[in-house]
Amino acid sequence: MNDPHAPSPDVDPILDTNRLREIAELDLFAPEVSDLLTDLAQQASDNLNMPLGMVNIVLDEAQFIAANAGVGGWIGEAQGTPVEWAFCRFAVRDKADFVVEDAHEHLLVKDNPLVTQDGLRCYAGIPLITSRGYSIGSFCVAGVEPHTFSDEEMAYLRSLAATAMERIEARRVPVHALA
């Protein structure tokens, strides 16, 4: 029997309409979401000595910053970036941690405008995977200097990501209730 909530195996995960529906059910654009998650982003930034801590939701055409510590400028005002610029899309697509120790040397991101224009140099993102198996975004830190993330730092990020997912899942609103 087919599970109507199962990820579609033949679809690009970023474009999967079931994944996008899952994001809608979690109501992640409500103003109070930032209040629920900002403390976690701040903890990650402070404890890992990174200028940026974020909870990012990856949509089909954009990355939405649901909560952050340290994000300013046009990205802060827009609350996101185009999805093509989003380092988080790799964590979402692969449902795996995505780490960039030196963006100038990383084949997937070295030509990214966040690297070439905004100076982003390191990144570590943990996919945010719902109880239904959808990767909706990433809990991440980033900085402007190269950085090798230790096993302890990655474990710490994973624990914060798990807490973020607990808080996010508690917001679930069935789509039919929105109609």
Side-chain angles (χ1 to χ4, degrees), residues 50 54 56 58 63 86-92 96-103 109 120-127 137-147 149 154 157:
M50 289 282 139
M54 296 166 282
N56 293 327
V58 177
Q63 170 178 260
F87 284 37
C88 295
R89 78 181 190 270
F90 299 110
V92 168
D97 300 352
F98 182 68
V99 177
V100 175
E101 294 180 351
D102 186 344
V109 299
L120 194 64
R121 198 73 185 270
C122 68
Y123 167 94
I126 308 301
S138 176
F139 186 94
C140 61
V141 292
V144 295
E145 300 291 331
H147 183 82
F149 293 91
M154 294 303 295
L157 281 176

Side-chain angles (χ1 to χ4, degrees), residues 13-26 29 58-61 134-136 175:
I14 301 300
L15 302 176
D16 185 349
T17 56
N18 291 327
R19 186 184 77 83
L20 297 171
R21 184 175 300 109
E22 179 85 331
I23 291 169
E25 285 188 23
L26 294 168
F29 303 102
V58 177
L59 305 169
D60 53 347
E61 295 184 7
Y134 293 100
S135 183
I136 60 169
V175 169

Side-chain angles (χ1 to χ4, degrees), residues 12 44 74 146 173:
D12 175 348
W74 73 267
V173 176

